[in-house]
Amino acid sequence: MNDTTVTTKPPRIGEAWLEQGGIYAGLVRGADGQPDHHLILAEAKPEAMAWQAAVDWAATVEVDGHKDFTLPTRRESALLFANLQDKFEPKWHWTSEQSSRNYAWGQDFDDGLQDFGDKYYEGRARAVRRFKVE
């Protein structure tokens, strides 16, 4: 049976928020005057790939009718490490942020380190979606 009821209150961190497309990762404070937002982690786990392929892959993810998935930002990746480290392979995962033309930022889900790497390196990727706190 498919439950289409929309939950207005988020579940506990680490639990599925089914109608929102995945696992609830928590609340991300808005930066530079932007609103706070909820962060949802899709459960899809592709093979390792270069940065641009990861960006393109995340844009194709669709869960529960939601098509607005992307790679997480650096701040979101830090939150994912803090709250959902157990949902990730203990390896490097791409973020959506570039550090230069040839390098992009990644998050190590083994020790929490963030650093930039060559965009041609084949890292892991996970997709997230976000929506404003009402």
Side-chain angles (χ1 to χ4, degrees):
M1 183 172 171
N2 188 6
D3 182 9
T4 58
T5 304
V6 176
T7 304
T8 56
K9 181 180 176 188
R12 294 174 58 101
I13 291 172
E15 292 182 353
W17 197 350
L18 299 177
E19 65 272 10
Q20 295 301 334
I23 301 165
Y24 185 53
L27 188 64
V28 180
R29 287 191 63 193
D32 301 322
Q34 295 297 313
D36 297 344
H37 62 273
H38 293 288
L39 189 66
I40 306 296
L41 174 68
E43 295 202 50
K45 297 177 189 174
E47 295 299 316
M49 61 186 77
W51 181 79
Q52 187 61 56
V55 170
D56 295 342
W57 166 79
T60 68
V61 173
E62 180 179 349
V63 184
D64 295 333
H66 299 288
K67 300 177 184 180
D68 56 348
F69 286 89
T70 67
L71 292 180
T73 65
R74 288 179 65 195
R75 290 177 72 225
E76 291 168 342
S77 290
L79 180 75
L80 291 166
F81 178 78
N83 289 348
L84 300 180
Q85 181 183 6
D86 62 323
K87 305 292 184 192
F88 287 80
E89 293 180 66
K91 299 180 183 221
W92 280 94
H93 287 69
W94 288 117
T95 75
S96 62
E97 296 183 37
Q98 301 178 69
S99 63
S100 70
R101 190 176 79 139
N102 295 316
Y103 294 90
W105 287 94
Q107 172 79 49
D108 188 346
F109 279 87
D110 182 36
D111 63 12
L113 178 68
Q114 286 190 355
D115 203 353
F116 55 87
D118 188 303
K119 289 181 179 179
Y120 293 104
Y121 169 77
E122 292 200 348
R124 300 289 181 197
R126 294 294 294 274
V128 298
R129 67 181 296 265
R130 55 198 63 81
F131 55 95
K132 293 179 197 174
V133 174
E134 297 290 328

